[in-house]
C-alpha cells in the first residue's frame, strides 16, 4: 500500500510539472493573457479540469514556485541556527540563492522575465506574493519578539527587510531584461546586496527581533 501511494504521489508531481512546463512554454510564446486553459490542457494532453485541479489560479501556472517564495523569508527565520540573528540568517540565505542563480530570488531567464513584465495580471500577482512574503516574515519575527517590545515592532522590521528583498528581486529582473547573464548579475548583486544589508542593520540598530545586540 505504501509503495502504491508513493507511486501515486510521484505520478501527481509529474503531471503537475508537465502542466506547468507546457503552460510556461505557451505563455512565453503567445503571452499570458492570450493563452487559454484549453490550449494548456491540449498541450499537456490532459482535461481542462485536471489543469484547474492542480492550478486553481491561472497565474500560478506561471508562478508555480509561489509557495516557496511566500514562505522563504519566514522559513529562514524559523530554521536559523542557535544564536544566529534573523538578519544574518536572511543575508546568508540570499547569498546562497544568489550563487545558485535560484529562480525564487529572481533568476528566471530573459524570456520568462519579459513574459511577466508584459503581463498586467502576472505583475499584479507578483505584487500580491511579495505582500504575502512580508506578512509571513512579520509573523515569524513576531514569534521571536520579546514581551516588552511594541506589538508593531516586528511588523516594522519585516516591512524594511521585505522592501530590500523586493528591490533585490526587481534588480535581478531588471538586469535580466537588460541582457546580462546570470554570472554577470551575480557579480553585480553581491556588493549591492551587501550594501543593502549594511543599510538595514543601521536602520534596525540593535532591534532584538532582527539583530543580536
Amino acid at each position: 500500500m505504501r509503495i502504491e501511494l508513493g507511486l501515486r504521489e510521484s505520478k501527481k508531481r509529474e503531471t503537475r510539472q508537465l502542466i506547468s512546463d507546457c503552460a510556461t512554454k505557451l505563455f512565453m510564446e503567445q503571452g499570458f493573457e492570450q493563452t487559454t486553459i484549453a490550449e494548456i490542457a491540449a498541450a499537456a494532453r490532459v482535461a481542462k479540469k485536471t489543469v484547474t485541479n492542480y492550478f486553481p489560479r491561472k497565474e500560478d501556472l506561471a508562478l508555480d514556485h509561489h509557495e516557496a517564495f511566500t514562505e522563504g523569508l519566514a522559513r529562514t527565520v524559523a530554521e536559523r541556527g542557535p544564536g544566529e540573528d534573523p538578519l544574518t540568517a536572511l543575508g546568508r540565505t540570499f547569498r546562497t540563492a544568489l550563487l545558485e542563480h535560484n529562480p525564487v530570488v529572481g533568476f528566471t531567464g530573459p524570456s520568462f522575465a519579459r513574459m511577466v513584465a508584459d503581463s498586467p495580471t502576472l505583475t499584479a500577482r507578483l505584487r500580491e506574493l511579495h505582500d504575502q512574503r512580508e506578512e509571513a516574515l512579520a509573523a515569524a519575527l513576531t514569534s521571536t519578539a520579546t514581551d516588552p517590545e511594541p506589538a508593531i515592532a516586528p511588523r516594522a522590521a519585516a516591512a524594511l527587510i521585505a522592501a530590500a528583498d523586493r528591490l533585490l528581486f526587481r534588480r535581478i529582473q531588471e538586469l535580466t531584461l537588460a541582457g546580462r547573464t546570470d554570472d554577470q548579475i551575480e557579480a553585480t548583486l553581491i556588493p549591492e546586496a551587501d550594501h543593502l544589508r549594511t543599510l538595514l542593520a543601521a536602520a534596525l540598530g540593535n532591534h532584538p527581533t532582527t539583530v543580536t545586540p
Side-chain angles (χ1 to χ4, degrees):
M1 178 65 71
R2 186 173 299 175
I3 293 175
E4 182 179 339
L5 288 173
L7 291 172
R8 188 178 303 166
E9 287 304 312
S10 177
K11 180 62 176 176
K12 286 181 179 179
R13 285 194 297 270
E14 289 175 4
T15 301
R16 188 182 191 282
Q17 190 61 54
L18 172 64
I19 294 170
S20 177
D21 290 345
C22 289
T24 299
K25 183 175 184 294
L26 288 172
F27 291 154
M28 289 192 294
E29 289 175 351
Q30 303 176 174
F32 178 81
E33 273 78 12
Q34 291 73 28
T35 302
T36 67
I37 297 297
E39 289 174 321
I40 295 167
R45 297 185 179 181
V46 298
K48 284 177 60 177
K49 187 174 182 180
T50 301
V51 175
T52 55
N53 282 343
Y54 280 100
F55 298 94
R57 295 184 62 158
K58 182 183 175 184
E59 301 95 306
D60 293 338
L61 280 159
L63 305 173
D64 60 336
H65 295 291
H66 64 280
E67 291 179 355
F69 180 78
T70 56
E71 297 169 3
L73 299 179
R75 183 180 296 113
T76 295
V77 170
E79 297 178 354
R80 69 190 189 280
E84 184 178 34
D85 64 79
L87 196 57
T88 299
L90 290 166
R92 172 180 50 77
T93 302
F94 179 80
R95 174 65 68 94
T96 298
L98 188 62
L99 295 177
E100 292 175 346
H101 302 165
N102 194 314
V104 173
V105 297
F107 286 95
T108 59
S111 296
F112 192 94
R114 175 54 58 196
M115 174 194 74
V116 174
D118 287 346
S119 168
T121 304
L122 289 179
T123 300
R125 177 57 174 157
L126 191 55
R127 284 196 298 268
E128 289 178 4
L129 294 177
H130 275 291
D131 288 343
Q132 292 173 19
R133 187 167 162 91
E134 179 182 332
E135 290 167 8
L137 174 61
L141 292 176
T142 298
S143 71
T144 68
T146 56
D147 291 338
E149 284 190 283
I152 200 171
R155 290 165 55 191
L160 288 172
I161 294 169
D165 182 71
R166 290 185 195 223
L167 179 58
L168 291 171
F169 185 95
R170 290 171 182 167
R171 184 75 170 123
I172 292 172
Q173 293 282 285
E174 171 190 301
L175 292 171
T176 298
L177 291 173
R180 303 286 184 86
T181 66
D182 286 351
D183 287 340
Q184 290 172 331
I185 294 170
E186 174 194 319
T188 300
L189 262 288
I190 286 176
E192 293 184 353
D194 288 345
H195 181 63
L196 265 182
R197 196 171 305 112
T198 299
L199 294 176
L200 275 177
L204 293 167
N206 284 334
H207 191 291
T209 299
T210 53
V211 181
T212 301

